[in-house]
Amino acid sequence: MSPEASLWDSEEDLRSLFQEAPVAYHEIDSEGVIRRVNNAECSLLGFERSEILGKYRWDFVAPEEQESSREALRRKISGEQPIAPFEREIIGRNGARHVVEIHESLIRDQSGRVVGVRAAMLDITKRKQAEEARRETEERYELAVRGANDGLWDWNLKTDKIYFSPRWKAMLGYEEGEIGDSPEEWFGRVHPEDLGRLKVEIGVHLEGHNQHFENEHRMRHKDGSYRWVVSRALAVVDAQGKALRIAGSQTDITMRKLAEQRLLHDAFHDELTGLPNRALFMERLERAAVRAVRRDNYLFAVLFLDLDRFKVINDSLGHMIGDQLLVGIARRLESCLRPEDTVTRLGGDEFVILFDDLKGISDATQLAERIQQELGRPFQLGGHEVFTTASIGIALSETGYQRPEDLLRDADTVMYRAKALGKARHEVFHTGLHARAVERLQLETDLRRAVERQELLVHYQPIVSRESGAIAAVEALVRWQHPQRGLVPPANFISVAEETGIILSIGDWVLRTACAQNKAWHDAGHPHLRVAVNLSARQFKQPSLVDAISRALEDTGLDPRFLDLELTENIVLGNAQATIETMQQLCAMGIRISIDDFGTGYSSLRYLRRFPISTLKIDRSFVRDIDVDPDGAAIATAVINLGHSLRLNVVAEGVETTEQLEFLCAGGCNQIQGYVFSRPLPPEQIAGLLKSRYLMPGPARAKRVGAPPSLLTSPIAQVS
């Protein structure tokens, strides 16, 4: 036996003391192999002694630190590195990590040669955690103090008064003297859904359970909107640990919140209604899907409910009544279900039901009818009698779903179909709906972000005067430069925008863009150019329409006399008296009104005489075959004559050929618009066309003189 081996087997009288020592202890040889280890170190690492002996010391540290541990041992054995206490993170069973302080001494044989190292380890994990927590607390406090651009507040708990800095008030749209010093100035502006959690977290911090306070919540701005803020603070306590004051900062994080696409569910139940939340619902839906695979003839259904007219109730009676209504609906839905079923509030006014273990689709439809009956009874809320209904979509498990979330998706899809078909009804999903729904929903999602991402463009199509041969006006036409689909024409997205209400923001943007562009052309030397902008049905019905147009003109500096608003016949005939009043207000500002697509609606000449209209636009369907179809030619001629008899300007749109141009000019049409001159162009190309003196040849401008096709080649046609 070698001298080194005999050394490890000696000192038998010290073994008992070594094993029972309360401090973790081990001995390694010059190669780093663990030769001895006591009970305390086995307990710290979570391994049996047999699992430790014979292993290298660096087997119990992180892989990235093993080489440095090996090199350190070599330097200590050789005397290149002095023995000194050091800290290291060790890894025990199941990856458990501990920070230890290690004290070492060298082991020498009888000749004085170093043959190993003794090491005692103190577990300082908790101390390190406490130091890190204290460091984080100090950093947060420094952040609050440094945040000069943030709103600062200081709450004196003895007087129950809060100092709010001017920046704190300005963040919510208020002046210095508009907010007092009571806690209600803060809590009264917190969104009802966030208030409870905010108060709880402040209380937890004041009681000393958390070393610092931080909470994200919504605050009501002076304009009625909600802004997301994060509040951070530290409490000041007396010698007995009682909080005397709490001071901190408020930071506006609205933009960050809007950019984040997340939905955190940190509990299993909805705070407002007490119903299971989405996380718990999806867990139960997954279990139902597993049962459906394992059990024959097992069926379940998902019912997706969306309240009809809930926004009207919320807006008219207030959020408190709206919340009470949601709670009342939750209770009635529960009364319709069995204990094994699940009803969840997904958010807002959307609820979803997992209807478990049913015999067939008739069970699900009967449940939907029972729910409609329950919701049909009035709710007594805050002295108001409130009525509501729901649109319900039903998806059955037998359709063959691979993922439970697809069942929820399809129930949602068919719910929108029920809403589109008249509301207060239910519809059952079938597979043919999916492809259409995916495409439409994706288009709607992309369209909602198109304005903020600046994907929309406005192109302009010239409207040429027959008399002068020059551009008299341009029509503003919206285009969508989709990042994947390319340039999307309006026919592919305007109907979706109308149905979803997105047309309101798009229409306002187009109006402002067109007015600003026309003002720029005026300033560039074209002071008589007019711009025509189409108004959608939703826009025209807005009570604030006149004010919105007035603001757009004021903000862009465009003279109202150079703005034409184009309306279709169906829009102006919807409510004759209201339409006349709106149109008269617009005309009083100097704006001109045009009837677009004239002849395609259900016009009444009696109404036409009453409306303050300046222009009729012949629909392209009558112009298309004007040179080959006698009926189309007769209609176009009749519209021109009708317009002139009413002293109206007449514009033909969709003119594509020289033959159509010749016929319309000979018929006395005042202005021409179409591909025969130019397709809709970006503003920079329109600017080039505006420099042309004449854009229609002389013979074509004559009222009754036809022009040979060879002469009807305009500079615009060449440019486009």
Side-chain angles (χ1 to χ4, degrees), residues 609-626:
R609 292 178 58 190
R610 296 175 58 195
F611 293 141
I613 297 166
S614 61
T615 300
L616 292 182
K617 297 191 74 171
I618 306 173
D619 184 67
R620 65 184 66 248
S621 63
F622 301 129
V623 174
R624 185 185 306 116
D625 301 323
I626 204 170

Side-chain angles (χ1 to χ4, degrees), residues 100-333:
V100 295
E101 185 177 274
I102 301 177
H103 297 260
E104 296 180 331
S105 62
L106 299 177
I107 302 174
R108 301 177 184 272
D109 61 11
Q110 294 179 349
S111 66
R113 182 170 60 93
V114 177
V115 295
V117 174
R118 301 184 183 90
M121 299 191 302
L122 302 177
D123 188 354
I124 60 173
T125 304
K126 291 184 178 180
R127 189 187 78 192
K128 283 293 182 180
Q129 291 173 344
E131 291 174 355
E132 178 66 18
R134 184 172 61 253
R135 184 189 63 79
E136 290 181 0
T137 299
E138 292 171 352
E139 288 178 352
R140 293 188 186 281
Y141 181 78
E142 291 174 0
L143 175 64
V145 173
R146 288 199 315 267
N149 194 41
D150 293 342
L152 302 179
W153 54 272
D154 186 351
W155 187 356
N156 187 324
L157 299 176
K158 286 187 175 181
T159 62
D160 200 28
K161 300 292 184 182
I162 303 182
Y163 163 77
F164 300 105
S165 72
R167 176 60 184 147
W168 192 98
K169 300 171 185 178
M171 195 178 295
L172 301 177
Y174 291 94
E175 299 294 335
E176 175 66 22
E178 293 185 284
I179 290 183
D181 58 2
S182 73
E184 185 60 21
E185 298 284 7
W186 179 7
F187 298 131
R189 291 179 172 86
V190 177
H191 193 286
E193 294 179 1
D194 303 337
L195 182 58
R197 181 167 50 87
L198 172 64
K199 288 186 174 181
V200 166
E201 292 186 6
I202 290 176
V204 168
H205 177 57
L206 293 178
E207 292 170 3
H209 301 300
N210 282 341
Q211 292 191 350
H212 64 272
F213 161 75
E214 180 173 339
N215 179 271
E216 295 179 0
H217 53 275
R218 288 161 287 182
M219 293 286 289
R220 188 176 66 253
H221 193 271
K222 186 177 181 180
D223 63 13
S225 64
Y226 277 92
R227 309 292 173 91
W228 274 101
V229 301
V230 57
S231 286
R232 302 182 178 94
L234 282 175
V236 178
V237 300
D238 59 16
Q240 289 73 40
K242 181 180 179 181
L244 301 176
R245 66 192 315 132
I246 177 172
S249 65
Q250 177 172 283
T251 307
D252 191 327
I253 58 170
T254 303
M255 297 307 296
R256 191 196 82 190
K257 280 290 186 177
L258 292 177
E260 292 173 353
Q261 295 181 359
R262 66 169 183 83
L263 185 60
L264 294 177
H265 295 282
D266 54 1
F268 287 107
H269 292 84
D270 174 55
E271 181 179 358
L272 176 65
T273 64
L275 295 176
N277 69 358
R278 186 188 186 99
L280 182 54
F281 176 83
M282 293 306 299
E283 178 184 327
R284 293 180 180 178
L285 181 59
E286 289 172 3
R287 290 205 299 263
V290 170
R291 286 195 297 270
V293 172
R294 295 176 178 175
R295 289 169 46 187
D296 294 336
N297 301 321
Y298 171 78
L299 291 177
F300 64 92
V302 171
L303 285 74
F304 201 112
L305 290 78
D306 186 270
L307 300 185
D308 301 324
R309 299 176 63 254
F310 178 72
K311 186 178 185 302
V312 175
I313 297 172
N314 235 7
D315 291 347
S316 59
L317 300 181
H319 289 286
M320 183 174 296
I321 297 297
D323 287 349
Q324 293 175 11
L325 176 60
L326 293 173
V327 173
I329 288 171
R331 302 290 83 81
R332 291 194 188 181
L333 291 177

Side-chain angles (χ1 to χ4, degrees), residues 57-90:
R57 171 196 270 186
W58 38 83
D59 288 338
F60 300 95
V61 301
E64 64 270 17
E65 294 184 2
Q66 291 181 356
E67 183 58 33
S68 63
S69 178
R70 184 184 296 111
E71 176 62 15
L73 176 63
R74 185 195 67 76
R75 291 172 60 83
K76 292 172 185 176
I77 294 293
S78 65
E80 298 175 31
Q81 179 175 328
I83 300 297
F86 63 95
E87 296 177 2
R88 173 150 290 167
E89 188 177 64
I90 60 174

Side-chain angles (χ1 to χ4, degrees), residues 546 549 560-561 563 565 567 579-594 610-615:
V546 176
I549 294 174
R561 295 176 300 160
L563 173 63
L565 296 178
L567 311 172
T579 298
I580 291 174
E581 293 175 0
T582 300
M583 294 172 70
Q584 286 176 341
Q585 293 179 58
L586 294 172
C587 290
M589 297 166 56
I591 297 170
R592 295 185 186 179
I593 307 294
S594 301
R610 296 175 58 195
F611 293 141
I613 297 166
S614 61
T615 300

Side-chain angles (χ1 to χ4, degrees), residues 265-504:
H265 295 282
D266 54 1
F268 287 107
H269 292 84
D270 174 55
E271 181 179 358
L272 176 65
T273 64
L275 295 176
N277 69 358
R278 186 188 186 99
L280 182 54
F281 176 83
M282 293 306 299
E283 178 184 327
R284 293 180 180 178
L285 181 59
E286 289 172 3
R287 290 205 299 263
V290 170
R291 286 195 297 270
V293 172
R294 295 176 178 175
R295 289 169 46 187
D296 294 336
N297 301 321
Y298 171 78
L299 291 177
F300 64 92
V302 171
L303 285 74
F304 201 112
L305 290 78
D306 186 270
L307 300 185
D308 301 324
R309 299 176 63 254
F310 178 72
K311 186 178 185 302
V312 175
I313 297 172
N314 235 7
D315 291 347
S316 59
L317 300 181
H319 289 286
M320 183 174 296
I321 297 297
D323 287 349
Q324 293 175 11
L325 176 60
L326 293 173
V327 173
I329 288 171
R331 302 290 83 81
R332 291 194 188 181
L333 291 177
E334 288 176 322
S335 70
C336 295
L337 301 178
R338 305 162 300 176
E340 61 267 31
D341 302 323
T342 301
V343 57
T344 291
R345 180 189 173 220
L346 289 185
D349 59 341
E350 292 181 339
F351 295 82
V352 63
I353 294 172
L354 174 60
F355 193 34
D356 204 11
D357 200 8
L358 59 157
K359 296 183 177 62
I361 189 61
S362 61
D363 288 350
T365 57
Q366 289 173 11
L367 173 60
E369 292 169 358
R370 189 159 64 251
I371 289 172
Q372 294 287 17
Q373 292 175 358
E374 279 296 313
L375 297 185
R377 295 188 293 108
F379 291 84
Q380 303 297 330
L381 304 172
H384 300 277
E385 188 174 57
V386 178
F387 291 86
T388 188
T389 57
S391 298
I392 305 176
I394 304 173
L396 196 63
S397 62
E398 67 179 1
T399 312
Y401 291 94
Q402 299 299 317
R403 301 184 307 170
E405 55 265 32
D406 292 344
L407 195 68
L408 182 63
R409 175 204 65 201
D410 290 345
D412 186 14
T413 298
V414 75
M415 179 276 293
Y416 279 105
R417 177 173 175 80
K419 193 171 286 289
L421 291 175
K423 304 179 181 178
R425 59 183 292 153
H426 65 268
E427 290 290 323
V428 179
F429 180 83
H430 59 82
T431 53
L433 293 171
H434 181 58
R436 295 198 302 271
V438 168
E439 181 178 1
R440 188 189 183 285
L441 288 174
Q442 185 59 53
L443 182 66
E444 178 184 338
T445 299
D446 293 347
L447 188 56
R448 289 186 183 278
R449 298 170 180 163
V451 175
E452 63 186 65
R453 293 178 176 176
Q454 299 182 342
E455 295 172 1
L456 297 182
L457 309 170
V458 177
H459 286 185
Y460 301 87
Q461 188 171 37
I463 302 174
V464 180
S465 169
R466 175 179 57 85
E467 294 290 341
S468 67
I471 297 177
V474 292
E475 181 179 359
L477 300 166
V478 66
R479 299 290 186 267
W480 181 9
Q481 188 63 50
H482 193 282
Q484 283 81 40
R485 305 184 187 199
L487 195 63
V488 183
N492 292 1
F493 67 86
I494 289 297
S495 60
V496 175
E498 282 274 9
E499 293 173 15
T500 58
I502 305 173
I503 193 67
L504 296 177

